[in-house]
Amino acid sequence: MSPRKAVVAALAAALLVGPGVAAQAATPQTQTTAAPAPARDRAAAATITWSLVRASNPTEDQRSAYDLITRAMNAAVARYNNLSDLGKTLTVRYEPGVPTADGNINGTIRFGSNRSYMNERTALHEISHTIGVGTSSGWSRLGGSGTWTGGQATALVRQYDGSAAKISTGGGHFWPYGLNYDNEWSATAADRHVHIVAAMVRDGL
């Protein structure tokens, strides 16, 4: 093979390498990811990784929870990595005493025992808290008035919903596209959620 063809082959191989997959601790399992977005929507980097803290000798309840949490987190992290260049290292725990689920800016996400929250919608929502939604000083500065004042995220929601649209804030959450409840879920809303969170970061979240 000529040197030029070797370079072309190497570049082609590099382009075929997709975004990084979600990292897991302990027993490897099959990756479950969301459908890839169109190439025009993909970011150049994928930098959110995660690990699940597991008991050394898990009960049947823990094994069941671990499986559901793994599927939810793999799908959510894949969507964030496919549609944004946000970076975070996440540590995920199953803690039955947690009423629903929660996310902390320190990178910790906890799922309680309620299986109805072990889904991609919840995982996306909690990842946004680890990035700063409701948890950062930028959130207080830009969203403390009840309306997000950052220009990039505001322009984006107006692109989606019309020139009068705004992002409302309260209780550490935002809407529309905050994925606060299961009835807000759709693949389109999930994609827009990621794009808005990324725009909030660019605004100074």
Side-chain angles (χ1 to χ4, degrees), residues 46-199:
T47 53
I48 293 177
T49 61
W50 75 281
S51 61
L52 176 61
V53 177
R54 298 172 182 262
S56 57
N57 187 23
T59 64
E60 182 57 36
D61 173 72
Q62 288 170 324
R63 284 195 294 271
S64 167
Y66 294 163
D67 287 346
L68 290 170
I69 291 167
T70 295
R71 286 197 287 271
M73 287 299 301
N74 275 343
V77 168
R79 194 180 297 269
Y80 263 102
N81 284 344
N82 200 35
L83 298 177
S84 79
D85 59 358
L86 298 173
K88 198 79 179 183
T89 299
L90 306 175
T91 301
V92 182
R93 299 177 184 273
Y94 172 50
E95 295 191 8
V98 173
T100 57
D102 57 38
N104 190 294
I105 199 166
N106 68 10
T108 299
I109 293 175
R110 304 184 304 166
F111 286 87
S113 61
N114 189 331
R115 268 39 178 185
S116 68
Y117 289 93
M118 295 177 184
N119 57 32
E120 184 185 356
R121 193 278 306 169
T122 301
L124 287 165
H125 177 90
E126 301 308 339
I127 289 171
S128 77
H129 287 313
T130 71
I131 291 168
V133 170
T135 58
S136 70
S137 59
W139 171 267
S140 299
R141 179 171 50 85
L142 294 164
S145 67
T147 300
W148 184 260
T149 59
Q152 295 208 34
T154 299
L156 192 57
V157 78
R158 288 176 178 171
Q159 176 185 322
Y160 295 149
D161 294 342
S163 60
K166 66 177 183 176
I167 299 172
S168 297
T169 59
H173 299 91
F174 72 89
W175 60 93
Y177 308 117
L179 303 182
N180 303 297
Y181 301 100
D182 280 341
N183 63 10
E184 297 176 49
W185 172 262
S186 71
T188 297
D191 287 353
R192 290 179 177 184
H193 169 86
V194 173
H195 287 305
I196 285 175
V197 172

